[in-house]
Amino acid sequence: MWQTLAIASVFFPGLFALSVRSLGWAAPAWSLKDRILLSSRMVSSVQATMATVSGIIVVLNCKDVVHDRYWLAVEYVWVIVPYMIYDIYIMYFCHWHKSKDTLEKKHSLASVRSFLEKDRLMVTHHLFILVILTPVAQYFRGELGDFFVGCIFVAELSTPFVSLGKILMQLKMQDTLLHKVNGILILVTFFLCRIVLFPFMYWAYARHMGIPIYMVPFHIPMHCNVANASLIAPQLYWFVLICRKAVRLYSSSPSAKNR
């Protein structure tokens, strides 16, 4: 636990700093703000890939979805904890750099307040994972449910595509075929891994217990239903936003989008 926490606490900030420095050498014409934004998205993609691979490994190694154990289901949570703390700070740091023209040049309560107003849902989501889901995943569930922890890890599959979409927009490549294909991948992976994932977990439990899927909410502890509802609610909101962006992307001509 402590070794994993220490390594992850150094790895993500170190990777971010290395990326910013490397982009300074590779693209000296880029502003510091551009290098910071791109680096934050690259680190996010790295973590998401690590989480997805870990989740797939856990899921494939847990044939009994309730009782089977696999070490990554516990160990990778200790990677997520420092990442979430790092990511909250980096989100603020990116917001401050993007808003320097309208905010004070130095960090202040005003800049923190502006960040929290703009990204309150994402910050709440991160804090929910840290304060609620981490204790549940590591202690309160006992030795049950590694399969479902692995499923939650797989939810990160859409993140690299979301990050790539932002990077392409940052590079002024939003009218390219790559951006449109990536948009389709965002929709598909987000829908499957952040929306369909939750009914799938209920179906897997129902199949294991030999009960109808509609009986699962009454067969599992109430806090499991509350946790799942708390996780899927923001995903549904973000999916609606993604769909709206997709409609604009695929229905507007390049000339219309440039007006």
Side-chain angles (χ1 to χ4, degrees):
M1 166 188 170
W2 295 112
Q3 183 178 16
T4 302
L5 279 170
I7 292 173
S9 297
V10 173
F11 176 74
F12 294 114
L15 183 61
F16 173 78
L18 177 62
S19 177
V20 172
R21 179 66 62 87
S22 299
L23 287 172
W25 296 331
W30 282 23
S31 67
L32 177 60
K33 180 184 75 173
D34 287 335
R35 288 185 277 133
I36 286 172
L37 293 176
L38 183 56
S39 297
S40 69
R41 290 156 185 166
M42 290 173 62
V43 175
S44 177
S45 296
V46 169
Q47 191 284 138
T49 302
M50 292 167 57
T52 301
V53 172
S54 298
I56 291 172
I57 292 172
V58 172
V59 168
L60 292 178
N61 280 278
C62 292
K63 306 304 180 185
D64 183 322
V65 302
V66 175
H67 298 100
D68 278 359
R69 306 302 312 278
Y70 195 76
W71 65 273
L72 265 176
V74 173
E75 200 66 22
Y76 196 77
V77 173
W78 299 125
V79 176
I80 292 176
V81 168
Y83 172 76
M84 288 295 167
I85 296 171
Y86 149 86
D87 200 43
I88 290 174
Y89 174 74
I90 289 299
M91 284 192 299
Y92 162 73
F93 195 52
C94 291
H95 171 79
W96 181 76
H97 272 277
K98 288 189 290 186
S99 308
K100 278 170 64 175
D101 292 337
T102 56
L103 294 174
E104 298 178 25
K105 298 300 182 181
K106 295 182 179 180
H107 299 282
S108 65
L109 287 177
S111 61
V112 174
R113 191 182 307 114
S114 173
F115 162 66
L116 293 176
E117 289 175 355
K118 180 179 182 296
D119 292 307
R120 66 170 68 92
L121 182 58
M122 186 65 76
V123 173
T124 302
H125 176 260
H126 279 38
L127 291 176
F128 178 79
I129 291 174
L130 287 170
V131 177
I132 306 297
L133 287 192
T134 297
V136 170
Q138 297 299 67
Y139 302 111
F140 297 131
R141 69 184 178 94
E143 296 186 353
L144 302 175
D146 281 13
F147 173 86
F148 300 107
V149 174
C151 288
I152 297 298
F153 292 166
V154 176
E156 287 291 302
L157 179 61
S158 62
T159 300
F161 301 108
V162 173
S163 295
L164 177 58
K166 293 179 179 179
I167 290 172
L168 291 173
M169 292 182 68
Q170 184 178 343
L171 298 175
K172 311 299 183 184
M173 296 175 64
Q174 59 266 39
D175 293 326
T176 63
L177 177 61
L178 175 59
H179 188 253
K180 292 185 176 181
V181 172
N182 185 68
I184 294 173
L185 292 174
I186 292 173
L187 280 170
V188 172
T189 55
F190 199 100
F191 179 70
L192 292 178
C193 297
R194 295 194 178 227
I195 308 297
V196 177
L197 173 72
F198 292 92
F200 167 75
M201 290 193 292
Y202 278 69
W203 171 83
Y205 183 86
R207 182 170 177 268
H208 174 78
M209 300 301 294
I211 61 175
I213 189 171
Y214 64 82
M215 290 298 297
V216 173
F218 308 101
H219 203 270
I220 62 177
M222 181 56 65
H223 66 263
C224 294
N225 292 313
V226 172
N228 286 330
S230 300
L231 281 174
I232 196 172
Q235 312 305 328
L236 290 170
Y237 172 75
W238 287 322
F239 185 67
V240 170
L241 295 183
I242 290 172
C243 289
R244 289 177 179 174
K245 289 182 180 179
V247 169
R248 292 197 298 269
L249 175 65
Y250 296 108
S251 64
S252 300
S253 64
S255 59
K257 285 184 285 186
N258 289 330
R259 288 174 190 170

